[in-house]
Amino acid sequence: MTTASARVLDGHAPDAVRATARVLAAGELAGVPTETVYGLAARADQDEAVAKIFAAKGRPSDHPLIVHVLDEQGARVFGQDLSPVAHRLIEAFWPGPLTLIVKRVPGIAAAAAGGQDTVGLRCPSHPVFRALMAECRALGVEGLAAPSANRFGRVSPTTAAHVADEFDPGLTVLDGGPCDVGIESTIVDVSRGGLVLLRPGVLTPAQLEAAAGLALHAPDAQAPRASGTLAAHYAPRATVRLMGSEALQAALAGDRPAGLAVYSRTSFDGTGAPALHRAMPAQARAAARQLFAVLRELDAAGATEIWIEAPPQEAAWDGVRDRLSRAAAAFPPR
């Protein structure tokens, strides 16, 4: 089907998957589904193609992208000296929502890596993406650089319609349905011999440590740059305020701005109920799955401010808390 914004193809139709693979092999961009969020993809082995991603998103060219591959064979095209720790994590979590930072093979994917000697590699589990990567491999393309398919710093897309709304007419978007995970992958650095968490996702520290057989550490000053780690990111047009349950209820008892929306686990009734309210699921995985879609929905409903109840201080919520904290950081406190 064709929309006013983009050329959206049914990802469950083999002809559409093959057509998208041909677009990518030719060095053009496409919106593609993964289990985390939709990506704006280009073949990672052509710096000219990758440059189109930075231009379309308005993203700084030194902010590295993740290279998505079909399997470990594809990973070896871009990454070298995969350590035993990397192998254990690949065995445990690939295909899935885990990105590994490893040493980059010299002479390939320099633009995708933001000029660093390391590269982020991920093997998505989404069946449409995997079918696409198989077609790409047949055309000589082993990896796709694919940051989230949105303008830089804005809310990530979790449906094909979100992607179509972001970009100019002519972009091919492969529709694989709503994303099952809903927030970007966990990123860990294994390029320096240890296990360093650069960005939380739905995988918990305990899961990573158990699979790797190492303790997980926070990044230091020498850590590689990685996707989605800027202080302000993932922001809707509406101003985001993140607050605890008691602070949220106290704020609602005072003056409310026009166009207020609330996203919370706390329920409201009677006169205390905000006019525009969305319930946050009690389970972290469910909250992650709907998070970006809710922010986009509230934007579309005309919200000028979104007050969000802070997630619990539990490891399972780290990824959701990270995205909300960065969304709120785009707006200075009052």
Side-chain angles (χ1 to χ4, degrees), residues 34-68:
T34 80
E35 74 278 19
T36 58
V37 300
Y38 274 72
L40 183 64
R43 58 184 302 167
D45 59 348
Q46 289 187 357
D47 288 354
E48 299 86 352
V50 172
K52 296 176 183 178
I53 296 177
F54 291 112
K57 282 177 64 73
R59 180 184 178 115
S61 61
D62 63 350
H63 197 51
L65 311 177
I66 293 168
V67 176
H68 298 69

Short mmCIF file of all heavy atoms in Angstrom, two decimals, residues 34-68:
data_model
loop_
_atom_site.label_atom_id
_atom_site.label_comp_id
_atom_site.label_asym_id
_atom_site.label_seq_id
_atom_site.Cartn_x
_atom_site.Cartn_y
_atom_site.Cartn_z
N THR A 34 12.37 -4.44 13.64
CA THR A 34 13.07 -5.38 14.50
C THR A 34 12.18 -5.61 15.72
O THR A 34 11.15 -4.95 15.88
CB THR A 34 14.47 -4.88 14.95
OG1 THR A 34 14.32 -3.97 16.04
CG2 THR A 34 15.23 -4.24 13.81
N GLU A 35 12.58 -6.51 16.59
CA GLU A 35 11.77 -6.75 17.78
C GLU A 35 11.85 -5.60 18.77
O GLU A 35 10.97 -5.46 19.64
CB GLU A 35 12.17 -8.07 18.45
CG GLU A 35 13.48 -8.06 19.22
CD GLU A 35 14.70 -8.25 18.33
OE1 GLU A 35 14.61 -8.04 17.09
OE2 GLU A 35 15.74 -8.62 18.88
N THR A 36 12.88 -4.76 18.67
CA THR A 36 13.03 -3.65 19.61
C THR A 36 12.26 -2.44 19.11
O THR A 36 11.22 -2.08 19.66
CB THR A 36 14.52 -3.32 19.82
OG1 THR A 36 15.13 -3.00 18.57
CG2 THR A 36 15.24 -4.48 20.48
N VAL A 37 12.78 -1.75 18.08
CA VAL A 37 12.09 -0.64 17.43
C VAL A 37 12.35 -0.75 15.93
O VAL A 37 13.17 -1.56 15.49
CB VAL A 37 12.57 0.74 17.95
CG1 VAL A 37 12.32 0.87 19.45
CG2 VAL A 37 14.03 0.98 17.62
N TYR A 38 11.65 0.05 15.14
CA TYR A 38 11.92 0.09 13.70
C TYR A 38 13.22 0.85 13.46
O TYR A 38 13.52 1.84 14.14
CB TYR A 38 10.79 0.77 12.95
CG TYR A 38 9.66 -0.17 12.59
CD1 TYR A 38 8.80 -0.66 13.56
CD2 TYR A 38 9.47 -0.59 11.27
CE1 TYR A 38 7.76 -1.53 13.24
CE2 TYR A 38 8.43 -1.46 10.94
CZ TYR A 38 7.59 -1.93 11.93
OH TYR A 38 6.57 -2.80 11.61
N GLY A 39 14.00 0.36 12.47
CA GLY A 39 15.26 1.00 12.14
C GLY A 39 15.22 1.67 10.78
O GLY A 39 14.46 1.27 9.88
N LEU A 40 16.04 2.70 10.62
CA LEU A 40 16.27 3.33 9.32
C LEU A 40 17.58 2.74 8.80
O LEU A 40 18.65 3.07 9.28
CB LEU A 40 16.36 4.85 9.45
CG LEU A 40 16.52 5.62 8.13
CD1 LEU A 40 15.29 5.43 7.24
CD2 LEU A 40 16.77 7.09 8.39
N ALA A 41 17.46 1.84 7.83
CA ALA A 41 18.58 0.97 7.48
C ALA A 41 19.27 1.39 6.19
O ALA A 41 18.66 1.91 5.26
CB ALA A 41 18.08 -0.47 7.34
N ALA A 42 20.57 1.10 6.15
CA ALA A 42 21.39 1.19 4.95
C ALA A 42 22.46 0.12 5.04
O ALA A 42 22.82 -0.32 6.14
CB ALA A 42 22.05 2.57 4.83
N ARG A 43 23.00 -0.30 3.91
CA ARG A 43 24.04 -1.32 3.96
C ARG A 43 25.25 -0.75 4.67
O ARG A 43 25.75 0.34 4.36
CB ARG A 43 24.37 -1.84 2.57
CG ARG A 43 24.84 -0.83 1.55
CD ARG A 43 25.05 -1.50 0.19
NE ARG A 43 26.02 -2.58 0.26
CZ ARG A 43 26.19 -3.48 -0.72
NH1 ARG A 43 25.46 -3.40 -1.83
NH2 ARG A 43 27.10 -4.42 -0.59
N ALA A 44 25.73 -1.49 5.65
CA ALA A 44 26.77 -0.98 6.55
C ALA A 44 28.15 -0.95 5.91
O ALA A 44 29.05 -0.26 6.41
CB ALA A 44 26.82 -1.82 7.82
N ASP A 45 28.34 -1.69 4.81
CA ASP A 45 29.66 -1.76 4.18
C ASP A 45 29.91 -0.64 3.19
O ASP A 45 30.98 -0.58 2.58
CB ASP A 45 29.84 -3.12 3.50
CG ASP A 45 28.80 -3.40 2.42
OD1 ASP A 45 27.81 -2.65 2.33
OD2 ASP A 45 28.99 -4.37 1.65
N GLN A 46 28.94 0.25 2.99
CA GLN A 46 29.11 1.38 2.09
C GLN A 46 28.94 2.68 2.87
O GLN A 46 27.83 3.02 3.28
CB GLN A 46 28.10 1.34 0.93
CG GLN A 46 28.38 0.25 -0.09
CD GLN A 46 27.46 0.35 -1.29
OE1 GLN A 46 26.57 1.19 -1.37
NE2 GLN A 46 27.68 -0.53 -2.26
N ASP A 47 30.03 3.39 3.08
CA ASP A 47 29.97 4.62 3.86
C ASP A 47 29.05 5.66 3.20
O ASP A 47 28.39 6.44 3.90
CB ASP A 47 31.37 5.21 4.03
CG ASP A 47 32.24 4.40 4.98
OD1 ASP A 47 31.71 3.45 5.60
OD2 ASP A 47 33.43 4.71 5.11
N GLU A 48 28.96 5.65 1.87
CA GLU A 48 28.08 6.59 1.19
C GLU A 48 26.62 6.31 1.52
O GLU A 48 25.82 7.24 1.68
CB GLU A 48 28.29 6.52 -0.33
CG GLU A 48 29.69 6.88 -0.78
CD GLU A 48 30.64 5.69 -0.76
OE1 GLU A 48 30.25 4.61 -0.23
OE2 GLU A 48 31.78 5.84 -1.23
N ALA A 49 26.25 5.05 1.61
CA ALA A 49 24.89 4.69 1.97
C ALA A 49 24.60 5.07 3.42
O ALA A 49 23.53 5.62 3.74
CB ALA A 49 24.67 3.19 1.76
N VAL A 50 25.55 4.81 4.31
CA VAL A 50 25.37 5.14 5.73
C VAL A 50 25.24 6.64 5.93
O VAL A 50 24.47 7.10 6.78
CB VAL A 50 26.55 4.57 6.55
CG1 VAL A 50 26.49 5.05 7.99
CG2 VAL A 50 26.53 3.04 6.51
N ALA A 51 25.95 7.43 5.12
CA ALA A 51 25.85 8.88 5.23
C ALA A 51 24.42 9.37 5.01
O ALA A 51 24.01 10.40 5.56
CB ALA A 51 26.80 9.54 4.22
N LYS A 52 23.65 8.63 4.22
CA LYS A 52 22.26 9.01 3.98
C LYS A 52 21.41 8.87 5.25
O LYS A 52 20.45 9.61 5.43
CB LYS A 52 21.67 8.16 2.85
CG LYS A 52 22.35 8.38 1.51
CD LYS A 52 21.80 7.43 0.44
CE LYS A 52 22.53 7.62 -0.88
NZ LYS A 52 22.05 6.68 -1.92
N ILE A 53 21.78 7.93 6.11
CA ILE A 53 21.07 7.80 7.40
C ILE A 53 21.28 9.05 8.24
O ILE A 53 20.33 9.64 8.76
CB ILE A 53 21.57 6.57 8.18
CG1 ILE A 53 21.27 5.27 7.45
CG2 ILE A 53 20.95 6.55 9.58
CD1 ILE A 53 21.81 4.03 8.15
N PHE A 54 22.54 9.46 8.38
CA PHE A 54 22.84 10.65 9.19
C PHE A 54 22.12 11.87 8.64
O PHE A 54 21.58 12.68 9.40
CB PHE A 54 24.35 10.89 9.21
CG PHE A 54 25.13 9.86 9.98
CD1 PHE A 54 25.99 8.98 9.34
CD2 PHE A 54 25.02 9.77 11.37
CE1 PHE A 54 26.72 8.04 10.05
CE2 PHE A 54 25.74 8.83 12.09
CZ PHE A 54 26.59 7.96 11.43
N ALA A 55 22.08 12.01 7.31
CA ALA A 55 21.42 13.16 6.70
C ALA A 55 19.91 13.12 6.93
O ALA A 55 19.30 14.14 7.27
CB ALA A 55 21.73 13.21 5.21
N ALA A 56 19.29 11.95 6.75
CA ALA A 56 17.84 11.84 6.90
C ALA A 56 17.39 12.07 8.33
O ALA A 56 16.35 12.69 8.58
CB ALA A 56 17.38 10.46 6.43
N LYS A 57 18.18 11.59 9.29
CA LYS A 57 17.81 11.73 10.70
C LYS A 57 18.22 13.08 11.29
O LYS A 57 17.71 13.48 12.34
CB LYS A 57 18.47 10.62 11.53
CG LYS A 57 17.79 9.28 11.42
CD LYS A 57 18.54 8.20 12.21
CE LYS A 57 18.57 8.46 13.70
NZ LYS A 57 17.28 8.24 14.38
N GLY A 58 19.19 13.75 10.65
CA GLY A 58 19.77 14.93 11.27
C GLY A 58 20.64 14.53 12.45
O GLY A 58 20.72 15.25 13.45
N ARG A 59 21.33 13.42 12.30
CA ARG A 59 22.13 12.84 13.38
C ARG A 59 23.61 13.18 13.17
O ARG A 59 24.11 13.06 12.04
CB ARG A 59 21.93 11.32 13.38
CG ARG A 59 22.69 10.53 14.43
CD ARG A 59 22.42 9.04 14.20
NE ARG A 59 23.14 8.16 15.12
CZ ARG A 59 22.55 7.37 16.01
NH1 ARG A 59 21.23 7.36 16.11
NH2 ARG A 59 23.25 6.58 16.79
N PRO A 60 24.34 13.57 14.22
CA PRO A 60 25.78 13.84 14.06
C PRO A 60 26.50 12.59 13.55
O PRO A 60 26.25 11.48 14.02
CB PRO A 60 26.23 14.21 15.47
CG PRO A 60 24.98 14.65 16.17
CD PRO A 60 23.87 13.83 15.59
N SER A 61 27.43 12.78 12.62
CA SER A 61 28.09 11.64 11.98
C SER A 61 29.08 10.93 12.89
O SER A 61 29.54 9.83 12.57
CB SER A 61 28.81 12.09 10.71
OG SER A 61 29.80 13.06 11.01
N ASP A 62 29.41 11.55 14.05
CA ASP A 62 30.31 10.86 14.98
C ASP A 62 29.54 10.08 16.04
O ASP A 62 30.15 9.52 16.96
CB ASP A 62 31.27 11.84 15.65
CG ASP A 62 30.56 12.88 16.51
OD1 ASP A 62 29.31 12.97 16.44
OD2 ASP A 62 31.24 13.60 17.26
N HIS A 63 28.21 10.05 15.91
CA HIS A 63 27.39 9.29 16.86
C HIS A 63 27.15 7.91 16.26
O HIS A 63 26.39 7.77 15.30
CB HIS A 63 26.07 10.02 17.11
CG HIS A 63 25.34 9.56 18.33
ND1 HIS A 63 25.94 9.47 19.58
CD2 HIS A 63 24.07 9.14 18.51
CE1 HIS A 63 25.06 9.04 20.46
NE2 HIS A 63 23.92 8.82 19.83
N PRO A 64 27.82 6.86 16.76
CA PRO A 64 27.86 5.57 16.07
C PRO A 64 26.50 4.89 15.94
O PRO A 64 25.59 5.11 16.73
CB PRO A 64 28.81 4.73 16.93
CG PRO A 64 28.80 5.39 18.26
CD PRO A 64 28.59 6.84 18.01
N LEU A 65 26.42 4.06 14.91
CA LEU A 65 25.23 3.27 14.62
C LEU A 65 25.52 1.81 14.96
O LEU A 65 26.67 1.38 15.04
CB LEU A 65 24.86 3.38 13.14
CG LEU A 65 24.80 4.79 12.56
CD1 LEU A 65 24.48 4.72 11.06
CD2 LEU A 65 23.76 5.63 13.29
N ILE A 66 24.46 1.04 15.12
CA ILE A 66 24.58 -0.40 15.34
C ILE A 66 24.45 -1.12 14.00
O ILE A 66 23.58 -0.79 13.19
CB ILE A 66 23.50 -0.89 16.33
CG1 ILE A 66 23.76 -0.29 17.71
CG2 ILE A 66 23.47 -2.42 16.40
CD1 ILE A 66 22.62 -0.47 18.69
N VAL A 67 25.32 -2.09 13.77
CA VAL A 67 25.25 -2.91 12.57
C VAL A 67 24.48 -4.19 12.90
O VAL A 67 24.84 -4.92 13.83
CB VAL A 67 26.66 -3.24 12.04
CG1 VAL A 67 26.57 -4.19 10.84
CG2 VAL A 67 27.39 -1.95 11.65
N HIS A 68 23.42 -4.43 12.14
CA HIS A 68 22.55 -5.58 12.36
C HIS A 68 22.90 -6.70 11.38
O HIS A 68 23.02 -6.44 10.17
CB HIS A 68 21.09 -5.17 12.19
CG HIS A 68 20.65 -4.13 13.17
ND1 HIS A 68 21.11 -2.83 13.14
CD2 HIS A 68 19.79 -4.20 14.23
CE1 HIS A 68 20.55 -2.14 14.12
NE2 HIS A 68 19.76 -2.95 14.79
#
